[in-house]
Amino acid sequence: MNAAEPTGDDLYVDGAYDMIVVSNRLPVDYQEGPDGETLWRSSPGGLVTALEPVMRAADGAWIGWTGVADREFDPFEHDGISIIPVPLAAQELEEYYEGFSNDTLWPLYHDVIAPPSFHREWWDAYVRVNRRFAEAAARAASPGAVVWVQDYQLQLVPKMLRESRPDLVIGFFNHIPFPAYGIYSQLPWRRQVLSGLLGADVIGFQRAADAGNFSRAVRRLFGYTTRGTLIEVPTDDSEVRRVVARHFPISIDAAGFEEIARRPAVQARAREIRASLGDPEIIMLGVDRLDYTKGIRHRLKAFGELLRDDRLSVERATLVQVASPSRERVETYRQLRDEIELMVGRLNGDFSTLGHQAIAYLHHGYPREEMVALYLAADVMLVTALRDGMNLVAKEYVACRFDQDGVLVLSEFAGASDELRQAVLVNPHDIEGLKDAIVEAVEMPQRERTRRMRALRRRVSDNDVARWSATFLKTLTGAGIIAPGVPDVLESAVTGIASTERLLVALDFDGTLAPLVDRPEDARATKRARAAIERLAATDDTRVAIVSGRALASLREVADPPAGALLSGSHGVELQLDGGVVTIDLRNGELDALERLTRILDEVASGADGAWVEHKPAGRALHTRKVLAPEATELQRIARERIEREVSDLSVRTGKGVLEFAVRSTDKGEALTRLRQHAGASAVIYVGDDVTDEDAFAALESDDVGVKVGQGKSVAAYRLRSPEDVAILLEHLAAVRDTERGRSSHWS
């Protein structure tokens, strides 16, 4: 687009956008045309690739800096996306970006590989710029819009947005690691940053460990309750707002990289690269931003020692190191460049011959096609990061190797190592171990290379960047089309957990095993689901539990549980374990409150046809499913207001067409924890459809599987469409559990 096209008021309207992405940089780069006109060129990247279709469909806007200091630009449209530039002054660039973001937060969040600097004026600039981004998003967002804030430069924006626009749905994704508390606590503004992030509804991290570090920091500094991936944040009106903090590992456009790799011209260029290097037997490749976190020095040291010790020779192996320029105005980075270039020069001087260069060092960036050609030319990819949120280069290399060849040597301190387990994993601090890993990669037989690469490619293809964005936004909004059947990724997760020693299969009843019906007493599990849970319950190594909000007596009647099944009723108030029924004994004050609660709800329900009150051991539930929607909403409002005035210290939960009050608080998460302990389970699968099941999902551990049935915001990692699909899932689980059991008995 150039300056002659419509801009400003022609395209931009306050409060017009339902979907907004806020990031430090825009998805376009500024260029000045030959006649001085303004030109914009797309800056291709994984984030842009993932979000472009979503933003076009949702009439989205992207808010960010243009990359040009001391200059303001009007909003404009580029490739169907509204662009809203945020200006930065040169001094703000120095203090907010180069200073606080990259000389304070970056080294701190990367485990202090380099020492961070703490300057109050940098913090002041960080606050000021974050507020400018937040104000731009608040102006642009429509009522109830989704705002997705990206990365560590903008950690204060979520809270600023929530204070000015509490109607918004706010997500945040941290693309870099989040450090352990002992490191994070060094930050003088540690509370302000955590508070800023907790303004979001969902906070995403690359690794489960990063999410855990964040939750622990929140507990240490604020004392908030954390349960699994949920953090309970108190609000000004004495309510609690639940924030999800969990990992959503980012990925790449795998199909796009493979398409480029299959082009004949790119393959020809790969052959040219090999020829230009003297056609060595082995080409090793490192591709990094020139950054002290990437482990380039460790890689060069290991390679140099292999040459010195004659475990490799320059006639056989060449290392190509691409180190793209990075933050060259920051002194730490200037020093790093000098050190790397000195090492490269020394190694080349010591080991290169007239026909063979030890290291080809390239200090500049390349277009994507050239990078793909390099990936195809490389026999071994070296990713030796000392600390990395993800490292997408590792995934790019795998995506390009459609020939099923090549070996990935991958640092265990890169987030990608959580997924790419078939790589040769290394600790880059262990130089001897790194040397052995490089030799292992060089000498790996073809059959083993193919086996590993095939598994790596399947992982990268299944978990591409589109799935990353869809998973995050589904968790944030609960929206999205759920296809019938069991998705491959859930089937794979269930297959993986089926090998656990002792499995607990915990299931909600209404809406999960049984379709929802108008009369609760008519609910019954589907025949296929019933048969599957009987099959699962019949084995000694698997326990089945039905976890319901129903009173235990009602649950027994409608569920007709199989022999040996564990039961939880009334949201965990009642438990039926192997030793019999465990219930609570209410105190006198609780009995009085229950009596008053019953009287109020009976009076409210009597005023509307179809409303009724369910009696539970520690509470009462007002059912409005059969009441017309406007009247049901009003009925629940009246009930809430009367009970708030007349009965104190009650817990309240809302479900599908039901408003429930309890005189003693418990939930399905607590029930699931007790059931896990009782069963001695090494892993758990929990399936549920209601808001009340979120407590159980939050109580799951990292290796467990949580499945949400139907639409709605959820912390569960997987979804199914209906109880019919739950039955299919349970059948699959029973089948693979039998297979694993048979395999174990065969080997024993």
Side-chain angles (χ1 to χ4, degrees):
M1 166 180 171
N2 59 48
E5 295 184 50
T7 60
D9 293 338
D10 296 324
L11 287 167
Y12 176 72
V13 180
D14 283 346
Y17 300 99
D18 296 330
M19 171 75 185
I20 293 174
V21 170
V22 187
S23 64
N24 178 65
R25 285 296 300 270
L26 288 167
V28 293
D29 293 325
Y30 167 80
Q31 287 183 326
E32 188 171 305
D35 298 324
E37 73 271 28
T38 297
L39 302 175
W40 298 102
R41 178 175 57 86
S42 293
S43 50
L47 186 63
V48 181
T49 302
L51 297 182
E52 272 184 340
V54 177
M55 297 186 73
R56 288 196 188 97
D59 187 24
W62 197 305
I63 293 173
W65 177 51
T66 60
V68 183
D70 289 325
R71 185 166 175 186
E72 296 195 23
F73 296 90
D74 288 332
F76 60 92
E77 187 172 312
H78 183 86
D79 284 351
I81 297 175
S82 294
I83 302 292
I84 303 175
V86 173
L88 285 181
Q91 185 174 355
E92 289 174 332
L93 180 62
E94 180 181 338
E95 294 177 343
Y96 143 78
Y97 182 70
E98 293 171 353
F100 195 80
S101 294
N102 292 322
D103 208 14
T104 300
L105 293 176
W106 179 270
L108 187 76
Y109 281 31
H110 286 85
D111 292 353
V112 196
I113 294 169
S117 302
F118 302 115
H119 298 291
R120 284 171 290 182
E121 61 272 21
W122 289 3
W123 166 253
D124 292 340
Y126 187 79
V127 174
R128 186 167 63 252
V129 172
N130 270 245
R131 188 165 302 283
R132 189 175 306 149
F133 276 83
E135 288 171 350
R139 283 195 305 271
S142 64
V146 174
V147 180
W148 192 359
V149 185
Q150 306 289 332
D151 223 0
Y152 65 104
Q153 302 96 342
L154 301 173
Q155 293 176 105
L156 307 181
V157 169
K159 181 181 180 183
M160 293 172 173
L161 269 177
R162 185 158 299 284
E163 289 174 342
S164 63
R165 291 287 306 274
D167 61 299
L168 299 177
V169 179
I170 304 167
F172 181 92
F173 188 78
N174 194 57
H175 292 257
I176 68 173
F178 194 91
Y181 181 75
I183 293 174
Y184 179 76
S185 62
Q186 299 175 38
L187 184 66
W189 306 278
R190 58 196 185 183
R191 292 179 65 91
Q192 293 94 316
V193 169
L194 288 186
S195 181
L197 290 170
L198 288 171
D201 296 292
V202 175
I203 308 168
F205 298 91
Q206 300 281 25
R207 309 181 80 169
D210 297 326
N213 287 342
F214 175 79
S215 294
R216 280 187 286 275
V218 170
R219 285 199 303 272
R220 291 285 296 272
L221 289 173
F222 294 112
Y224 296 164
T225 300
T226 64
R227 300 181 53 190
T229 60
L230 284 185
I231 300 173
E232 297 184 352
V233 181
T235 63
D236 293 338
D237 54 2
S238 301
E239 295 290 330
V240 169
R241 189 170 59 83
R242 285 180 169 177
V243 174
V244 176
R246 55 165 281 212
H247 69 298
F248 300 84
I250 198 171
S251 194
I252 62 168
D253 176 16
F257 274 94
E258 180 171 340
E259 186 275 324
I260 296 173
R262 289 183 178 274
R263 295 176 190 171
V266 173
Q267 294 174 37
R269 176 57 187 150
R271 292 189 291 271
E272 287 178 8
I273 291 171
R274 294 192 71 96
S276 68
L277 294 168
D279 278 320
E281 179 185 339
I282 299 293
I283 293 177
M284 292 182 282
L285 175 64
V287 175
D288 309 270
R289 232 176 8 86
L290 188 59
D291 191 286
Y292 48 79
T293 65
K294 302 300 182 182
I296 301 173
R297 288 173 292 197
H298 298 64
R299 185 182 312 158
L300 294 176
K301 182 175 178 61
F303 182 61
E305 291 187 8
L306 288 171
L307 295 176
R308 181 198 67 192
D309 299 340
D310 291 327
R311 295 179 71 185
L312 289 177
S313 67
V314 292
E315 290 79 15
R316 186 185 183 199
T318 293
L319 172 61
V320 177
Q321 177 61 60
V322 177
S324 57
S326 174
R327 303 167 187 164
E328 298 198 310
R329 290 171 47 170
V330 178
E331 179 60 27
T332 309
Y333 288 80
R334 289 199 294 264
Q335 293 174 2
L336 176 66
R337 177 179 179 180
D338 292 344
E339 185 178 347
I340 296 296
E341 291 179 352
L342 184 64
M343 289 184 72
V344 169
R346 183 177 297 140
L347 289 170
N348 275 334
D350 288 345
F351 299 108
S352 293
T353 66
L354 288 176
H356 298 279
Q357 189 176 12
I359 302 171
Y361 178 73
L362 308 163
H363 181 58
H364 44 82
Y366 288 98
R368 180 170 292 187
E369 288 76 9
E370 183 74 358
M371 290 308 308
V372 172
L374 277 166
Y375 292 145
L376 288 175
D379 303 286
V380 177
M381 185 80 217
L382 300 177
V383 178
T384 57
L386 306 180
R387 191 77 164 93
D388 213 337
M390 178 53 62
N391 194 288
L392 296 180
V393 163
K395 295 187 175 185
E396 291 173 3
Y397 178 71
V398 169
C400 291
R401 298 311 300 241
F402 66 91
D403 58 356
Q404 313 290 351
D405 205 355
V407 182
L408 173 64
V409 177
L410 177 60
S411 166
E412 63 191 55
F413 303 117
S417 67
D418 289 350
E419 301 173 89
L420 305 183
R421 306 302 296 177
Q422 294 301 317
V424 178
L425 299 179
V426 296
N427 173 1
H429 297 284
D430 175 10
I431 299 299
E432 290 299 325
L434 178 55
K435 288 157 60 179
D436 291 342
I438 292 173
V439 173
E440 177 189 351
V442 166
E443 297 180 349
M444 187 176 290
Q446 174 68 57
R447 184 173 180 178
E448 178 67 4
R449 297 200 305 267
T450 299
R451 183 191 69 79
R452 288 175 179 253
M453 185 56 69
R454 185 177 291 121
L456 290 170
R457 284 178 51 75
R458 187 181 309 116
R459 183 74 181 188
V460 171
S461 176
D462 289 346
N463 297 282
D464 65 0
V465 71
R467 181 160 180 261
W468 167 77
S469 63
T471 301
F472 185 95
L473 290 171
K474 191 178 291 183
T475 302
L476 181 63
T477 66
I481 297 171
I482 307 172
V486 179
D488 291 343
V489 65
L490 174 54
E491 191 172 289
S492 176
V494 168
T495 300
I497 206 172
S499 61
T500 196
E501 182 178 353
R502 192 158 184 81
L503 179 65
L504 173 63
V505 183
L507 307 157
D508 175 47
F509 185 75
D510 295 283
T512 300
L513 290 175
L516 294 174
V517 293
D518 287 338
R519 286 164 36 96
E521 61 270 25
D522 294 337
R524 294 292 183 274
T526 65
K527 290 183 179 179
R528 292 180 68 178
R530 171 75 192 182
I533 61 174
E534 286 181 343
R535 182 177 169 188
L536 287 164
T539 60
D540 294 335
D541 57 4
T542 306
R543 297 303 304 267
V544 171
I546 301 177
V547 182
S548 176
R550 286 176 179 261
L552 198 56
S554 170
L555 181 61
R556 284 199 205 95
E557 181 179 345
V558 296
D560 187 21
L566 307 173
L567 299 180
S568 170
S570 303
H571 301 289
V573 171
E574 304 173 286
L575 291 175
Q576 180 176 303
L577 306 177
D578 294 314
V581 176
V582 180
T583 60
I584 62 168
D585 294 320
L586 297 181
R587 296 183 288 268
N588 288 336
E590 292 171 330
L591 290 170
D592 290 342
L594 189 60
E595 185 178 338
R596 279 177 281 146
L597 174 63
T598 305
R599 175 178 51 78
I600 294 169
L601 289 183
D602 283 343
E603 291 174 4
V604 171
S606 67
D609 291 337
W612 62 282
V613 178
E614 180 185 3
H615 289 223
K616 297 185 177 184
R620 299 292 183 262
L622 174 65
H623 288 266
T624 59
R625 190 180 300 159
K626 294 191 286 184
V627 181
L628 294 176
E631 188 178 355
T633 302
E634 179 64 13
L635 209 63
Q636 291 194 10
R637 184 191 66 78
I638 293 170
R640 276 181 181 272
E641 290 183 353
R642 281 199 59 183
I643 288 167
E644 283 177 5
R645 287 196 308 268
E646 300 177 38
V647 189
S648 59
D649 299 326
L650 296 183
S651 66
V652 185
R653 58 169 60 91
T654 304
K656 294 180 178 177
V658 61
L659 182 64
E660 185 167 346
F661 301 87
V663 297
R664 186 176 295 182
S665 177
T666 186
D667 58 49
K668 291 182 178 179
E670 294 176 13
L672 183 62
T673 299
R674 293 181 67 183
L675 290 167
R676 177 198 285 272
Q677 293 170 345
H678 176 79
S682 52
V684 175
I685 294 177
Y686 187 88
V687 189
D689 77 308
D690 199 73
V691 176
T692 59
D693 294 303
E694 294 302 308
D695 295 304
F697 293 137
L700 294 174
E701 298 177 1
S702 58
D703 293 332
D704 297 335
V705 174
V707 185
K708 163 80 171 179
V709 182
Q711 295 282 5
K713 182 179 174 182
S714 179
V715 301
Y718 305 97
R719 285 184 187 259
L720 290 173
R721 187 173 182 174
S722 67
E724 288 74 19
D725 297 323
V726 173
I728 297 171
L729 177 71
L730 295 174
E731 288 173 344
H732 172 69
L733 173 61
V736 294
R737 192 80 168 133
D738 287 346
T739 300
E740 289 294 333
R741 194 179 299 110
R743 185 179 291 121
S744 298
S745 62
H746 170 76
W747 286 111
S748 63

